[in-house]
Amino acid sequence: MMKEAKKIPGNLKITGAIGACTALALAMSATLPARAQNADWVTDGGDTIRSGWQKDEQILSTASVKNMKLLWKAETGNEARALHNLMPALIVHKVTTASGEKQIVLVSGISDNLYAYDAADGSLLWKQHFTYAVEKPREEPPNDWDSIGGGKTPKTLNFLEPGGSSDTPVIGPEKDGKFPVYMVDGGGILHILNLADGTDLKPTVTAVKGKGWALTLVGDTLWMPAINQMNVIDLAKTSDGVKSWKSESGGLWGRRGAAVDSKGVAWLTTGDGTYNAAKKEFANAVIGLGLEGNSLKLKDYFIPTNWEWLQKRDLDPNNTPTIFNFHGRELIAASGKECRLALLDPNSAGGADHQQPLFKSDLFCNEEVDFQDSGSWGAVSSWEDAKGTRWVLAPFWGPAHSKFHFPITNTPVTVKGGMAAFKVIEKEGKPEAVPVWVSRDIDHGEPAVIANGVVYTFGSGDFTQQASPDKGLNFDSSIRAKQANHVTLFALDAQTGKELYSSGNTIPTFNHFSGVSVANGHVYVSSYDGVLYCFGLK
């Protein structure tokens, strides 16, 4: 295995509203409101419970967000694989580098690249490219479920198995003046790097193979989900190796990876398949995994009573759940392609028979029972307002259900997707999720980040149909890419869902399975052509 490290302060094309001039960028950033810039975003979803809640944002607000502009964009040059390109950005506001203290934006690319940018002007501070031995692709028909391309170009690869580094890294807390970055490359190797310059802090560790999702770091415990198994390592004892739990039926899904509760149990969802506890088959479920001694074991799970029907219609619960405290107890909120919101107790996720949630909503979308272009996808988010009201937000594709009542319906009404907002209340001693608002139409709504009273989301513009009447199922990703729209970033009032800002046609291409990040007056989102965009106040 070889690895290339480059410090490239000025060889990347930087364009946008403030141009490529660093001095001008710094001068303009000095006009921002005189508030502390102390917000970080070190993991996908912002924290280990995957809330999507940026608690430390102080610059952007419901009053000022309407004035956002494109500040800069960085053309990374990362090559797309299948439909993937850049993962969600991570941000640390105070990093000591050789050229002084900087706010660093870290973003990984599917083609095994890792980039660090200066948040002030978008200049590239360093880049890492990882190389490793690649197994020879099998020569299989392009429509085969397991095909990985058979020698085709990266953009035509099967979107279910894109190869490369599909996980979102995680940044650990500062130690000895250095912030460690944990990343798993496409060869299944865990790298531990210095955020300041991209150099190795510790030797690499063989971790996992297969399509990965976002990493979660809790203390010294690093959770590394892959498409068919969960992997965990104790960073204080890497010599003990990686412990794994394999799904015997139903892959592991949820783009934000695992949400970890107060007892150290990691919760995530499983895809289509069968349910047979005796055979260790737990598909179409929300599962909790925990360490017991030297083994990783299934601690608990919830599986809907209609799991067989969900399997037949490919309506698995594919979202990363979120965890929160409500009235002195810990709760899990989860959703999926069927488009119901469920509340679970992590101490007894589905009751005695594992099939009874604390609460389950009616269908709030996917009236047409569509496995590919409707339903709730990605991740559920949660936050608490100044009055102590607990909110849960679920993104969705397609129109809202015609028979589901949202007290506030924003316009234009949802056709291609949106965001659904619920309040959690207690009724007769049990929690319930009560609908409050549904957003305007958003072209394939993506997981929310909530910051200072504002909900940030975007329409990915992704063309999500996997099958057509003339071709049937076809896993050549370039077919979908040619029919896609473009990313549109939105800022919504968190209390009402009212649109406060839209990026309009600023971003020309779409995005597949990435996310939005917010910190210190900046909002970051990326696109299929490998461009990272930074929006904020001039």
Side-chain angles (χ1 to χ4, degrees):
M1 180 188 71
M2 295 186 297
K3 181 173 55 183
E4 175 191 13
K6 295 181 180 179
K7 290 185 180 180
I8 313 176
N11 75 335
L12 201 66
K13 184 179 180 182
I14 307 295
T15 58
I18 64 173
C21 176
T22 303
L24 177 60
L26 294 174
M28 294 180 77
S29 67
T31 65
L32 290 173
R35 296 182 179 180
Q37 297 191 33
N38 58 1
D40 290 338
W41 195 256
V42 298
T43 189
D44 200 352
D47 49 38
T48 58
I49 55 175
R50 297 317 198 214
S51 69
W53 184 11
Q54 171 57 278
K55 297 180 181 180
D56 297 321
E57 175 58 35
Q58 300 180 49
I59 297 172
L60 292 170
S61 67
T62 54
S64 66
V65 73
K66 64 183 179 183
N67 298 317
M68 276 205 313
K69 305 291 183 183
L70 175 64
L71 297 183
W72 53 260
K73 62 180 182 179
E75 299 177 7
T76 66
N78 185 76
E79 184 177 22
R81 294 182 64 87
L83 297 168
H84 297 266
N85 202 307
L86 301 178
M87 307 305 133
L90 305 178
I91 306 102
V92 176
H93 77 283
K94 194 174 182 180
V95 183
T96 301
T97 73
S99 54
E101 190 173 278
K102 296 184 180 294
Q103 181 179 174
I104 290 183
V105 183
L106 187 78
V107 63
S108 63
I110 189 71
S111 292
D112 296 289
N113 293 309
L114 187 61
Y115 307 88
Y117 296 97
D118 188 331
D121 61 3
S123 59
L124 183 64
L125 301 174
W126 56 264
K127 170 189 173 182
Q128 282 273 25
H129 176 67
F130 306 99
T131 60
Y132 44 85
V134 179
E135 295 179 3
K136 183 180 179 180
R138 290 171 292 174
E139 298 289 341
E140 296 185 2
N143 285 356
D144 188 275
W145 277 87
D146 298 319
S147 172
I148 58 173
K152 295 186 292 183
T153 63
K155 288 187 178 181
T156 65
L157 293 171
N158 181 344
F159 49 84
L160 295 176
E161 297 182 12
S165 48
S166 56
D167 66 289
T168 304
V170 62
I171 302 173
E174 184 180 16
K175 184 177 182 180
D176 300 325
K178 299 177 181 178
F179 290 90
V181 175
Y182 302 93
M183 177 181 175
V184 177
D185 66 28
I189 306 299
L190 171 64
H191 301 265
I192 306 174
L193 311 172
N194 183 359
L195 178 60
D197 57 16
T199 57
D200 291 313
L201 288 178
K202 293 184 179 181
T204 59
V205 179
T206 300
V208 59
K209 289 187 178 182
K211 183 176 182 178
W213 304 106
L215 307 184
T216 310
L217 178 65
V218 184
D220 287 325
T221 303
L222 182 65
W223 297 91
M224 302 173 288
I227 197 166
N228 67 343
Q229 67 181 37
M230 173 58 88
N231 308 275
V232 63
I233 188 171
D234 185 342
L235 296 169
K237 298 182 290 184
T238 55
S239 59
D240 288 352
V242 175
K243 301 170 183 64
S244 300
W245 181 89
K246 184 177 180 180
S247 175
E248 298 297 336
S249 181
L252 306 185
W253 295 94
R255 277 181 264 158
R256 285 179 175 170
V260 182
D261 68 21
S262 60
K263 294 182 178 179
V265 177
W267 293 90
L268 65 163
T269 54
T270 58
D272 287 316
T274 55
Y275 169 45
N276 188 321
K279 295 182 178 180
K280 299 182 180 180
E281 297 175 351
F282 300 98
N284 294 288
V286 181
I287 63 172
L289 302 171
L291 286 168
E292 287 187 14
N294 203 38
S295 300
L296 183 59
K297 296 185 177 181
L298 182 73
K299 304 290 286 187
D300 201 357
Y301 64 93
F302 160 72
I303 185 163
T305 54
N306 65 338
W307 69 266
E308 288 183 281
W309 185 81
L310 296 179
Q311 179 196 11
K312 292 177 181 178
R313 302 306 297 261
D314 190 5
L315 297 176
D316 48 293
N318 62 355
N319 281 357
T320 292
T322 188
I323 300 169
F324 57 88
N325 288 312
F326 176 73
H327 291 189
R329 67 187 298 186
E330 207 166 30
L331 295 178
I332 299 170
S335 186
K337 286 195 283 182
E338 185 189 21
C339 212
R340 300 181 190 272
L341 183 67
L343 299 179
L344 312 173
D345 182 347
N347 294 313
S348 180
D353 65 356
H354 299 282
Q355 295 190 296
Q356 304 302 321
L358 294 174
F359 167 82
K360 181 176 67 175
S361 77
D362 293 333
L363 296 170
F364 61 89
C365 71
N366 207 358
E367 190 168 357
E368 57 272 43
V369 194
D370 187 340
F371 78 97
Q372 58 184 348
D373 207 29
S374 295
S376 183
W377 292 70
V380 182
S381 302
S382 178
W383 70 290
E384 189 174 275
D385 65 24
K387 296 181 179 180
T389 301
R390 172 60 61 176
W391 294 76
V392 175
L393 301 174
F396 63 92
W397 299 352
H401 200 290
S402 63
K403 296 182 181 179
F404 192 88
H405 176 64
F406 288 96
I408 301 174
T409 299
N410 289 278
T411 56
V413 296
T414 55
V415 176
K416 292 188 175 182
M419 184 67 64
F422 301 79
K423 286 182 179 179
V424 182
I425 65 169
E426 188 168 337
K427 185 176 180 180
E428 298 178 355
K430 293 184 178 181
E432 289 191 8
V434 178
V436 178
W437 57 258
V438 62
S439 73
R440 56 151 291 159
D441 187 40
I442 297 174
D443 189 351
H444 291 76
E446 292 294 305
V449 170
I450 309 96
N452 203 17
V454 181
V455 172
Y456 297 90
T457 183
F458 64 94
S460 67
D462 197 358
F463 184 83
T464 54
Q465 293 180 19
Q466 301 172 26
S468 61
D470 57 331
K471 296 180 180 179
L473 283 170
N474 193 306
F475 293 93
D476 181 336
S477 294
S478 65
I479 295 174
R480 279 178 52 175
K482 290 175 183 177
Q483 301 176 80
N485 196 356
H486 67 85
V487 169
T488 307
L489 174 67
F490 291 98
L492 311 174
D493 187 304
Q495 296 287 332
T496 66
K498 178 183 177 181
E499 180 185 324
L500 302 175
Y501 171 84
S502 168
S503 65
N505 296 323
T506 302
I507 303 172
T509 58
F510 73 100
N511 170 304
H512 176 78
F513 282 16
S514 187
V516 63
S517 305
V518 181
N520 304 314
H522 288 180
V523 182
Y524 304 91
V525 69
S526 64
S527 55
Y528 175 70
D529 52 0
V531 179
L532 176 65
Y533 293 83
C534 174
F535 294 84
L537 303 178
K538 279 192 175 182

Short mmCIF file of all heavy atoms in Angstrom, two decimals, residues 278-302:
data_model
loop_
_atom_site.label_atom_id
_atom_site.label_comp_id
_atom_site.label_asym_id
_atom_site.label_seq_id
_atom_site.Cartn_x
_atom_site.Cartn_y
_atom_site.Cartn_z
N ALA A 278 -33.68 -17.14 15.12
CA ALA A 278 -32.90 -18.36 15.34
C ALA A 278 -31.75 -18.47 14.34
O ALA A 278 -30.71 -19.04 14.64
CB ALA A 278 -33.82 -19.59 15.23
N LYS A 279 -31.94 -17.92 13.15
CA LYS A 279 -30.89 -17.94 12.12
C LYS A 279 -30.08 -16.65 12.08
O LYS A 279 -29.28 -16.44 11.17
CB LYS A 279 -31.52 -18.19 10.75
CG LYS A 279 -32.18 -19.56 10.60
CD LYS A 279 -32.73 -19.74 9.18
CE LYS A 279 -33.35 -21.11 9.01
NZ LYS A 279 -33.89 -21.30 7.63
N LYS A 280 -30.32 -15.77 13.06
CA LYS A 280 -29.62 -14.48 13.15
C LYS A 280 -29.89 -13.62 11.92
O LYS A 280 -29.01 -12.95 11.40
CB LYS A 280 -28.12 -14.69 13.34
CG LYS A 280 -27.77 -15.43 14.62
CD LYS A 280 -26.26 -15.58 14.80
CE LYS A 280 -25.95 -16.31 16.10
NZ LYS A 280 -24.49 -16.48 16.30
N GLU A 281 -31.15 -13.66 11.47
CA GLU A 281 -31.58 -12.85 10.34
C GLU A 281 -32.47 -11.72 10.85
O GLU A 281 -33.55 -11.96 11.39
CB GLU A 281 -32.34 -13.70 9.33
CG GLU A 281 -31.48 -14.81 8.72
CD GLU A 281 -32.27 -15.74 7.82
OE1 GLU A 281 -33.51 -15.63 7.79
OE2 GLU A 281 -31.65 -16.58 7.14
N PHE A 282 -31.99 -10.49 10.72
CA PHE A 282 -32.69 -9.34 11.28
C PHE A 282 -32.80 -8.22 10.24
O PHE A 282 -32.32 -7.11 10.44
CB PHE A 282 -31.97 -8.83 12.52
CG PHE A 282 -31.85 -9.85 13.62
CD1 PHE A 282 -30.67 -10.59 13.77
CD2 PHE A 282 -32.90 -10.10 14.48
CE1 PHE A 282 -30.55 -11.55 14.78
CE2 PHE A 282 -32.79 -11.05 15.48
CZ PHE A 282 -31.61 -11.78 15.63
N ALA A 283 -33.41 -8.53 9.11
CA ALA A 283 -33.59 -7.54 8.06
C ALA A 283 -34.79 -6.65 8.36
O ALA A 283 -35.62 -6.95 9.23
CB ALA A 283 -33.77 -8.23 6.71
N ASN A 284 -34.88 -5.50 7.67
CA ASN A 284 -35.98 -4.55 7.82
C ASN A 284 -36.17 -4.12 9.27
O ASN A 284 -37.29 -3.97 9.75
CB ASN A 284 -37.29 -5.16 7.29
CG ASN A 284 -37.25 -5.39 5.80
OD1 ASN A 284 -37.30 -4.45 5.02
ND2 ASN A 284 -37.12 -6.65 5.40
N ALA A 285 -35.08 -3.90 9.96
CA ALA A 285 -35.13 -3.66 11.40
C ALA A 285 -34.29 -2.46 11.82
O ALA A 285 -33.46 -1.97 11.05
CB ALA A 285 -34.64 -4.91 12.14
N VAL A 286 -34.52 -2.04 13.04
CA VAL A 286 -33.63 -1.11 13.74
C VAL A 286 -32.92 -1.94 14.79
O VAL A 286 -33.57 -2.53 15.66
CB VAL A 286 -34.41 0.04 14.40
CG1 VAL A 286 -33.45 1.01 15.09
CG2 VAL A 286 -35.26 0.78 13.38
N ILE A 287 -31.60 -2.04 14.69
CA ILE A 287 -30.86 -2.93 15.58
C ILE A 287 -29.89 -2.16 16.45
O ILE A 287 -29.39 -1.09 16.09
CB ILE A 287 -30.09 -4.01 14.78
CG1 ILE A 287 -29.04 -3.37 13.87
CG2 ILE A 287 -31.06 -4.86 13.96
CD1 ILE A 287 -28.11 -4.36 13.20
N GLY A 288 -29.62 -2.72 17.64
CA GLY A 288 -28.65 -2.14 18.56
C GLY A 288 -27.53 -3.14 18.82
O GLY A 288 -27.79 -4.29 19.21
N LEU A 289 -26.29 -2.72 18.61
CA LEU A 289 -25.13 -3.59 18.79
C LEU A 289 -24.24 -3.04 19.91
O LEU A 289 -24.03 -1.83 20.01
CB LEU A 289 -24.32 -3.67 17.50
CG LEU A 289 -25.07 -4.19 16.27
CD1 LEU A 289 -24.22 -4.01 15.02
CD2 LEU A 289 -25.46 -5.65 16.45
N GLY A 290 -23.70 -3.93 20.72
CA GLY A 290 -22.85 -3.51 21.82
C GLY A 290 -21.73 -4.50 22.09
O GLY A 290 -21.82 -5.68 21.72
N LEU A 291 -20.68 -4.01 22.71
CA LEU A 291 -19.54 -4.86 23.07
C LEU A 291 -19.84 -5.62 24.35
O LEU A 291 -20.28 -5.05 25.35
CB LEU A 291 -18.28 -4.01 23.24
CG LEU A 291 -17.65 -3.48 21.95
CD1 LEU A 291 -16.61 -2.42 22.27
CD2 LEU A 291 -17.02 -4.62 21.16
N GLU A 292 -19.56 -6.92 24.32
CA GLU A 292 -19.64 -7.77 25.51
C GLU A 292 -18.33 -8.53 25.59
O GLU A 292 -18.08 -9.44 24.80
CB GLU A 292 -20.82 -8.74 25.41
CG GLU A 292 -22.17 -8.10 25.59
CD GLU A 292 -23.28 -9.14 25.66
OE1 GLU A 292 -22.97 -10.33 25.84
OE2 GLU A 292 -24.45 -8.75 25.53
N GLY A 293 -17.50 -8.12 26.53
CA GLY A 293 -16.19 -8.74 26.62
C GLY A 293 -15.39 -8.45 25.37
O GLY A 293 -15.17 -7.30 25.01
N ASN A 294 -15.01 -9.51 24.67
CA ASN A 294 -14.19 -9.36 23.47
C ASN A 294 -15.00 -9.57 22.19
O ASN A 294 -14.44 -9.80 21.12
CB ASN A 294 -13.03 -10.36 23.49
CG ASN A 294 -11.87 -9.93 22.63
OD1 ASN A 294 -11.54 -8.75 22.55
ND2 ASN A 294 -11.25 -10.89 21.95
N SER A 295 -16.34 -9.46 22.31
CA SER A 295 -17.21 -9.72 21.16
C SER A 295 -18.20 -8.59 20.96
O SER A 295 -18.59 -7.90 21.90
CB SER A 295 -17.98 -11.03 21.35
OG SER A 295 -17.10 -12.14 21.50
N LEU A 296 -18.60 -8.42 19.71
CA LEU A 296 -19.65 -7.47 19.37
C LEU A 296 -20.93 -8.27 19.16
O LEU A 296 -20.96 -9.20 18.35
CB LEU A 296 -19.28 -6.71 18.09
CG LEU A 296 -20.25 -5.63 17.62
CD1 LEU A 296 -20.43 -4.56 18.69
CD2 LEU A 296 -19.75 -5.01 16.32
N LYS A 297 -21.99 -7.91 19.89
CA LYS A 297 -23.21 -8.71 19.87
C LYS A 297 -24.44 -7.85 19.65
O LYS A 297 -24.45 -6.65 19.95
CB LYS A 297 -23.34 -9.50 21.17
CG LYS A 297 -22.25 -10.54 21.39
CD LYS A 297 -22.51 -11.37 22.63
CE LYS A 297 -21.45 -12.45 22.80
NZ LYS A 297 -21.70 -13.29 24.00
N LEU A 298 -25.49 -8.50 19.16
CA LEU A 298 -26.78 -7.86 19.04
C LEU A 298 -27.39 -7.72 20.43
O LEU A 298 -27.59 -8.72 21.12
CB LEU A 298 -27.70 -8.69 18.13
CG LEU A 298 -29.08 -8.12 17.88
CD1 LEU A 298 -29.01 -6.92 16.95
CD2 LEU A 298 -30.01 -9.19 17.28
N LYS A 299 -27.70 -6.48 20.81
CA LYS A 299 -28.25 -6.24 22.15
C LYS A 299 -29.77 -6.20 22.15
O LYS A 299 -30.42 -6.67 23.08
CB LYS A 299 -27.71 -4.92 22.70
CG LYS A 299 -26.18 -4.84 22.74
CD LYS A 299 -25.58 -5.76 23.79
CE LYS A 299 -25.79 -5.21 25.18
NZ LYS A 299 -25.06 -6.00 26.19
N ASP A 300 -30.33 -5.62 21.10
CA ASP A 300 -31.79 -5.51 21.02
C ASP A 300 -32.15 -5.11 19.59
O ASP A 300 -31.28 -4.71 18.81
CB ASP A 300 -32.29 -4.47 22.02
CG ASP A 300 -33.77 -4.65 22.37
OD1 ASP A 300 -34.41 -5.55 21.79
OD2 ASP A 300 -34.28 -3.86 23.18
N TYR A 301 -33.43 -5.18 19.26
CA TYR A 301 -33.85 -4.79 17.93
C TYR A 301 -35.35 -4.53 17.90
O TYR A 301 -36.10 -4.98 18.77
CB TYR A 301 -33.49 -5.86 16.89
CG TYR A 301 -34.19 -7.19 17.08
CD1 TYR A 301 -35.38 -7.49 16.43
CD2 TYR A 301 -33.64 -8.17 17.92
CE1 TYR A 301 -36.02 -8.71 16.60
CE2 TYR A 301 -34.27 -9.39 18.11
CZ TYR A 301 -35.46 -9.66 17.44
OH TYR A 301 -36.09 -10.86 17.62
N PHE A 302 -35.77 -3.78 16.89
CA PHE A 302 -37.19 -3.59 16.59
C PHE A 302 -37.40 -3.93 15.12
O PHE A 302 -36.67 -3.47 14.25
CB PHE A 302 -37.63 -2.14 16.83
CG PHE A 302 -38.90 -1.77 16.11
CD1 PHE A 302 -40.11 -2.29 16.53
CD2 PHE A 302 -38.87 -0.94 15.00
CE1 PHE A 302 -41.29 -1.97 15.86
CE2 PHE A 302 -40.05 -0.61 14.33
CZ PHE A 302 -41.27 -1.12 14.75
#
